[in-house]
Amino acid sequence: MARLFLVPTPVGNLSDFTRRAEEVLKACDLILAEDTRTSGKLLQHYGIHTPCRAYHQFNEHKICRQVTDMLRQGQDIAVITDAGTPGISDPGFLLVRECVQEGIEVECLPGATAFVPALVQSGFPCERFAFEGFLPHQKGRNARIEQLKWQERTMIIYESPHRIAKTLRQLAQALGGERKACLCREISKVHAENKRGTLQELADFHERNEAKGEMVLIVEGRPAPCHSYDYPRPALTADFLLVARLPDDSRHLLLVERKNEPFKGCFAFPGGFVNEDETLERAAVRELREETGIRLKDYGLQALPFRPYSDPERDPRGRTVTMTYHALLNCDTLPEVAAEDDAAEARWFNVESLPPLAFDHERIWQDFLHR
């Protein structure tokens, strides 16, 4: 059976074309090109006379089956795009998937692609990165940009000259104007340029200056939290929301004030990390006892699950997943509490006059009230 070849083409300088790519294109039976006019210049330069047929985003669904039929009949076929590696923000994926499902051999040649040199020369960490390609033009664009706010890896974004100013402005608003970035233009061409600065600086520049050439935007990831601990991320924690109701129907919430940085001075629900050998419920009850001295069994109460929470910015330690438990205590007087463990103080607060709550506990409390 024949083979489908994915052949990278130069993103700028024609000399970036590899010898093997030239040999494959000369030897195959058919070349599928994103734009036959653009590819024709490359093929003519290297004296490649293999038949060429258009294969682009507007016809790839239609001719996919035709191509796989030709491959099964024994024809070797190569796919090329205007620049770079097929399938990377260019046509190619659908055909590759179809071939894989049909058991047809697929081979991608190593070669030119725009994002690798842009990433490496940006100066940002490149051992782990997130390739975003082109952002949606309309539907889903704001949601995608909002998601990027939490991305901790270096981000790679493709953009066209007439949209770059808008994209930079939106990213500056969502990620923060001080986030650093590198805009790589015309990679491997005569007028190649790397412009570095903050998102706001780059946005201001391109608001005033017309952009030219294809661009790759490299944006640094979200800075690591200023306080970090040695624990798996996301961390698993359990909190306890204990409410006491007095005979006058007033309700009081048990909170603890932390004594250690970075939480010093913060009021929050009793809670903490879940040990490897305990359940979430047991961890919540244990933390309640250790930080306030309250033992649920002394009051015949049961820990009831309320809701799991996961928020990338729920506290300065970084991303956590938390299960909140709750119980309602009917009593004549408020039980005495004693701050222990890492709690500087444990206090009952009337729910009508709560102090500012740390992390996302204000939202959790409001959800609890309106559940």
Side-chain angles (χ1 to χ4, degrees), residues 108-283:
C108 180
L109 275 61
T113 188
F115 78 80
V116 173
L119 171 65
V120 174
Q121 68 195 17
S122 71
F124 296 130
C126 51
E127 67 275 9
R128 298 171 69 242
F129 56 88
F131 177 75
E132 293 294 328
F134 288 96
L135 298 177
H137 295 173
Q138 296 178 347
K139 185 177 180 180
R141 181 179 178 88
N142 292 335
R144 176 77 67 82
I145 291 177
E146 184 66 20
Q147 291 174 354
L148 297 182
K149 180 191 301 185
W150 312 115
Q151 179 58 254
E152 295 178 354
R153 304 179 183 186
T154 300
M155 292 165 276
I156 304 169
I157 298 171
Y158 284 170
E159 195 50 277
S160 62
H162 66 275
R163 277 195 301 269
I164 189 62
K166 173 185 176 181
T167 296
L168 287 167
R169 184 173 62 253
Q170 291 179 323
L171 289 172
Q173 292 173 349
L175 279 62
E178 295 305 311
R179 187 77 69 90
K180 295 179 181 179
C182 177
L183 188 59
C184 303
R185 186 177 68 85
E186 296 287 79
I187 292 174
S188 187
K189 297 182 181 179
V190 175
H191 300 292
E193 177 187 37
N194 298 316
K195 191 169 187 60
R196 298 177 173 85
T198 64
L199 285 172
Q200 190 60 57
E201 289 170 345
L202 294 176
D204 291 342
F205 177 84
H206 284 286
E207 290 281 0
R208 302 188 303 267
N209 298 275
E210 181 183 3
K212 295 181 179 180
E214 295 303 315
M215 299 182 169
V216 182
L217 177 63
I218 310 295
V219 183
E220 73 171 342
R222 177 173 177 250
C226 57
H227 301 283
S228 60
Y229 295 83
D230 294 329
Y231 63 90
R233 298 180 65 187
L236 188 61
T237 62
D239 292 337
F240 207 102
L241 197 161
L242 182 60
V243 178
R245 182 165 58 192
L246 298 181
D248 61 3
D249 206 34
S250 63
R251 292 181 297 170
H252 301 261
L253 179 63
L254 181 58
L255 299 174
V256 297
E257 180 183 1
R258 306 297 181 183
K259 63 182 178 183
N260 298 324
E261 296 290 355
F263 313 113
K264 188 174 182 179
C266 296
F267 279 100
F269 307 143
F273 295 114
V274 178
N275 296 326
E276 294 183 0
D277 60 347
E278 63 182 348
T279 64
L280 287 166
E281 179 180 338
R282 181 180 176 185

